[in-house]
Amino acid sequence: MSDKKNQTPGSVEEPRGVSRRSFLGTGAVTGAVLAGATALGAGTFTRESWAAAAKEAKSKVHVGPGELDEYYGFWSGGHQGEVRVLGVPSMRELMRIPVFNVDSATGWGLTNESKRILGDSAKYQNGDCHHPHISMTDGKYDGKYLFINDKANSRVARIRLDIMKCDKILTVPNVQAIHGLRLQKVPYTKYVFANAEFVIPHPNDGHTFDLQDKNSFTMFNAIDAEKMEMAFQVIVDGNLDNSDADYTGKYAASTCYNSEKAYDLGGMMRNERDWVVVFNIPRIEAAIKAGKFINLDGSKVPVVDGRKTDGKDSEFTRYIPVPKNPHGLNTSSDGKYFIANGKLSPTVSMIAIDRLDDLFADRFKDPREVIVAEPELGLGPLHTTFDGRGNAYTTLFIDSQVVKWNMDEAIRAYKGEKVNYIKQKLDVQYQPGHNHASLTETSEADGKWLVVLCKFSKDRFLPTGPLHPENDQLIDISGEEMKLVHDGPAFAEPHDCILARRDQIKTQKIWSRNDPFFAGTVELAKKDGINLETDNKVIRDGNKVRVYMTSMAPAYGLTEFTVKQGNEVTVTITNIDQIEDVSHGFVMTNHGASMEISPQQTSSITFTADKAGLHWYYCSWFCHALHMEMVGRMLVEKA
Ligand code: K7E
Ligand code: CUA
Ligand code: CA
């Protein structure tokens, strides 16, 4: 199936694009040059080679009717704001989990339960998800939570994987644009590490545009994963892009592409090297415990300063220079390396994690002594993933390729040995960002599947007007050779995804009646003296009317109720069906009210009855042969 020219076996030299690379090597790359190079990427396939590949691929990814996938995949919904659940290798979409968006089907963003979770940030109806990550114990997925960032409104959300609903959202204070997000792997996910990307003035009260001022900075953020509260913040030099944590629990590292603290393209590309900043978590914890921290701009979060002073390192951080505007930061699944992806440099930098103790003990003259290899891979390396067999897979955005390379051999080559560490280059369609191999973020990386999230699909799908889908490709990496087996169109735009074995995720089939997700609503019902499983009642409380009812296929417990025009109406419904898969819905026509009520769930929604008249409500989830008949009427009497 594979195209010979894709394989570049063993060649360290990139066969094409040498002139483009030297372009990128100069300090004077402009946005226009970069955009031009992008447009040149790949385009070296034929329809025939696709057809042949497609034939062989079919058997690999075929999950027959009634069969189950081997892996759960959790996909970022990008600036659409949700998380999507896919089965891998079929790439079938199983579920969507609304998080930073408003969802008409489930009522996320509309129901009282979701508004309680969204808190103050419910005022925003957009989000921008990039990095979904599953909580870990001893460097393995524990299946408890999935965390995801919102770059647009500086938030971090947690999803409970047993019910696949978002249960906590936190707005990170005093920063802008939470981008890189990773979890502590060992001994367990105590912290969610979240990078704020943009440098801002402090206090950010409108007094200045100046980014060079010493009070202009951004911060690395640690969130207590269980409480979903801020644990600490670390002021850094430059900005912060992506991050990852190690397998000792001691270190986290982040890339910085804007060491210049510039605000324009030319400025941000001025330095030949930016850096990776490494955080010493035990030292930060010790300082905070000893009360050696500050508070910032009216927040109570402990803040420590991880910037250099007069060129001298702080006790909390070390800055390792790497070439040029690095992007992804990935910990190898063997726990040995932090790998920073060069983006504007054709290289990745391998940082030996076992040298970091010495780095923090100031035993090196040059912090770059922790770098054990800097293999040249191709143009625009963005992210790297691992197969657990010593190989790494790096996306090349500009070349539109994934390159498979061997880590030990790259280290030997760096020492001067003549070794060809590049194993294969595979064209992908087109311009890949993240890639993710099965279980790659854990010590159990199993080297079976590789998902490559391409930013452009161009001609790969039926045309859909000016806006094209992205293309999430599935690659079989179980053998010596990478094989592309599936194209999956995706909407705007999944930066990243994560794959877990299906036995690592354990879900509930119906709700537990005392689930905290709707405990607040149960509490309010108790105050009204309501037994949610049996009562169908209307409580009038001044201008507020609270309507309680049950639902059991195919009927609501209340088929009519009366309110006065202008009343604020809260409808609380408890689905007393105990049968798996019998979800009901509630829609009040012409009132913008819609919600899901799954078996044993209690859901509530509040709206204003502003129009006198008769208004039908109906069940929106097809639950029974008489589903269409599952209706009721609200009479709104003239004020
Ligand atoms: Cu798009 Cu991880 Cu936000 Cu790279 S990030 S592609
Ligand atoms: Cu209940 Cu349809
Ligand atoms: Ca830079």
Side-chain angles (χ1 to χ4, degrees):
M1 63 160 277
S2 81
D3 196 332
K4 274 219 182 63
K5 90 191 127 30
N6 288 342
Q7 293 176 16
T8 326
S11 161
V12 177
E13 262 311 305
E14 165 64 32
R16 34 190 197 94
V18 174
S19 59
R20 279 184 281 145
R21 181 191 301 144
S22 49
F23 238 145
L24 290 159
T26 72
V29 180
T30 66
V33 170
L34 195 55
T38 300
L40 287 170
T44 51
F45 51 85
T46 63
R47 285 271 169 201
E48 290 66 36
S49 67
W50 287 356
K55 206 171 169 193
E56 185 181 330
K58 241 181 202 161
S59 58
K60 273 276 184 185
V61 289
H62 186 69
V63 178
E67 289 175 9
L68 303 181
D69 282 288
E70 283 175 73
Y71 296 87
Y72 276 101
F74 297 91
W75 253 247
S76 142
H79 42 296
Q80 191 272 345
E82 69 189 6
V83 167
R84 299 172 195 146
V85 189
L86 270 68
V88 176
S90 74
M91 303 286 272
R92 297 180 295 195
E93 183 179 287
L94 306 175
M95 188 43 65
R96 297 177 172 202
I97 306 170
V99 182
F100 303 114
N101 57 328
V102 173
D103 181 57
S104 164
T106 58
W108 183 259
L110 305 174
T111 64
N112 296 320
E113 296 71 46
S114 63
K115 283 180 171 170
R116 262 175 231 129
I117 291 163
L118 284 154
D120 289 344
S121 82
K123 63 179 180 282
Y124 301 126
Q125 303 194 340
N126 72 311
D128 184 10
C129 309
H130 291 228
H131 302 116
H133 293 290
I134 300 171
S135 56
M136 283 177 261
T137 302
D138 294 328
K140 298 177 182 118
Y141 297 136
D142 60 23
K144 211 169 165 191
Y145 300 121
L146 181 128
F147 298 87
I148 191 146
N149 72 303
D150 168 23
K151 179 169 169 177
N153 296 304
S154 309
R155 291 176 288 182
V156 174
R158 181 175 81 184
I159 288 163
R160 266 175 58 195
L161 288 176
D162 63 332
I163 49 171
M164 300 225 179
K165 300 279 186 199
C166 172
D167 82 323
K168 293 273 183 193
I169 291 186
L170 171 74
T171 301
V172 181
N174 295 325
V175 295
Q176 278 178 25
I178 294 297
H179 182 233
L181 178 142
R182 287 285 186 149
L183 309 178
Q184 194 174 16
K185 300 173 196 281
V186 173
Y188 68 100
T189 299
K190 182 178 173 193
Y191 297 123
V192 178
F193 298 123
N195 284 341
E197 187 172 341
F198 298 139
V199 173
I200 55 168
H202 293 270
N204 195 17
D205 56 4
H207 75 282
T208 184
F209 253 136
D210 185 2
L211 302 182
Q212 299 300 328
D213 188 89
K214 90 174 221 315
N215 289 319
S216 293
F217 51 78
T218 190
M219 294 190 282
F220 174 77
N221 305 281
I223 296 156
D224 181 314
E226 201 53 51
K227 294 190 197 140
M228 281 298 279
E229 290 168 3
M230 291 300 300
F232 57 80
Q233 296 179 301
V234 184
I235 302 172
V236 293
D237 286 317
N239 84 333
L240 293 165
D241 193 6
N242 279 294
S243 70
D244 206 347
D246 73 350
Y247 283 89
T248 70
K250 205 164 168 183
Y251 298 115
S254 302
T255 49
C256 158
Y257 65 81
N258 190 8
S259 61
E260 301 89 348
K261 284 170 73 178
Y263 49 82
D264 61 341
L265 277 178
M268 289 188 254
M269 291 188 284
R270 192 174 303 124
N271 295 345
E272 275 310 308
R273 282 177 177 164
D274 295 285
W275 56 61
V276 169
V277 51
V278 182
F279 300 91
N280 188 319
I281 306 303
R283 284 194 187 174
I284 296 165
E285 287 178 324
I288 289 166
K289 214 170 161 198
K292 289 190 269 178
F293 60 83
I294 55 165
N295 297 116
L296 207 63
D297 306 351
S299 132
K300 290 199 173 67
V301 182
V303 176
V304 298
D305 195 338
R307 291 176 295 184
K308 294 189 179 194
T309 328
D310 304 324
K312 221 179 130 351
D313 281 313
S314 80
E315 59 179 305
F316 311 115
T317 55
R318 289 295 179 271
Y319 293 83
I320 305 164
V322 299
K324 169 159 194 174
N325 289 34
H327 183 58
L329 193 292
N330 304 90
T331 309
S332 57
S333 52
D334 58 14
K336 290 184 184 167
Y337 313 109
F338 284 139
I339 295 187
N341 297 258
K343 192 166 78 185
L344 297 190
S345 159
T347 57
V348 300
S349 304
M350 296 178 72
I351 295 167
I353 290 170
D354 66 6
R355 294 190 187 179
L356 294 177
D357 286 351
D358 284 343
L359 179 68
F360 273 93
D362 297 320
R363 294 204 183 96
F364 297 126
K365 270 210 187 77
D366 177 353
R368 278 185 55 87
E369 286 178 50
V370 301
I371 291 175
V372 291
E374 214 150 62
E376 189 164 319
L377 300 175
L379 294 184
L382 288 187
H383 295 278
T384 296
T385 188
F386 309 93
D387 65 8
R389 300 188 295 268
N391 300 308
Y393 301 77
T394 301
T395 49
L396 302 173
F397 181 84
I398 295 169
D399 282 340
S400 273
Q401 290 180 319
V402 173
V403 50
K404 175 180 176 180
W405 55 283
N406 183 278
M407 291 188 284
D408 283 343
E409 290 173 10
I411 292 169
R412 283 161 51 200
Y414 194 68
K415 288 181 185 148
E417 227 180 291
K418 261 213 153 338
V419 227
N420 294 319
Y421 47 80
I422 291 183
K423 302 293 140 192
Q424 186 193 357
K425 288 188 172 185
L426 179 73
D427 284 354
V428 293
Q429 288 75 29
Y430 305 91
Q431 269 75 42
H434 276 270
N435 61 353
H436 187 98
S438 39
L439 275 65
T440 186
E441 287 172 17
T442 71
S443 56
E444 299 183 301
D446 64 4
K448 290 196 174 151
W449 298 106
L450 173 67
V451 175
V452 179
L453 305 178
C454 298
K455 307 290 189 188
F456 294 76
S457 64
K458 294 183 187 167
D459 48 6
R460 296 293 270 193
F461 305 112
L462 287 176
T464 55
L467 181 62
H468 291 43
E470 276 72 60
N471 187 10
D472 297 347
Q473 296 187 303
L474 185 69
I475 292 169
D476 176 4
I477 55 166
S478 61
E480 280 299 298
E481 201 183 313
M482 293 185 275
K483 288 181 180 166
L484 176 62
V485 293
H486 183 85
D487 268 13
F491 183 56
E493 78 167 68
H495 288 255
D496 195 5
C497 68
I498 186 166
L499 308 184
R501 276 197 327 265
R502 69 184 190 204
D503 64 82
Q504 293 177 308
I505 309 292
K506 294 195 171 56
T507 63
Q508 298 182 30
K509 298 194 165 174
I510 62 174
W511 286 87
S512 150
R513 284 296 304 142
N514 47 28
D515 197 288
F517 188 79
F518 49 79
T521 303
V522 170
E523 207 47 48
L524 290 173
K526 223 179 254 166
K527 281 189 196 148
D528 277 338
I530 297 290
N531 179 337
L532 285 166
E533 284 91 44
T534 53
D535 289 353
N536 292 290
K537 265 190 194 162
V538 179
I539 309 268
R540 291 173 207 281
D541 177 8
N543 188 41
K544 295 188 163 103
V545 179
R546 293 187 286 278
V547 179
Y548 292 94
M549 66 176 94
T550 58
S551 69
M552 185 173 213
Y556 293 115
L558 271 184
T559 51
E560 57 182 61
F561 62 87
T562 303
V563 300
K564 286 254 175 339
Q565 189 175 8
N567 279 171
E568 183 197 283
V569 181
T570 299
V571 174
T572 302
I573 302 181
T574 300
N575 182 348
I576 56 174
D577 271 304
Q578 307 226 22
I579 304 160
E580 188 182 335
D581 209 0
V582 181
S583 293
H584 298 291
F586 172 84
V587 173
M588 180 63 76
T589 50
N590 299 345
H591 282 78
S594 171
M595 63 184 180
E596 163 204 2
I597 321 117
S598 282
Q600 295 296 302
Q601 185 178 12
T602 295
S603 305
S604 70
I605 195 159
T606 301
F607 56 89
T608 304
D610 52 0
K611 294 177 286 282
L614 178 155
H615 303 278
W616 288 85
Y617 52 91
Y618 67 93
C619 174
S620 48
W621 241 284
F622 212 113
C623 55
H624 190 276
L626 292 170
H627 156 79
M628 298 306 292
E629 289 82 351
M630 186 166 173
V631 291
R633 292 169 304 158
M634 169 177 76
L635 188 68
V636 181
E637 295 174 341
K638 260 212 169 88

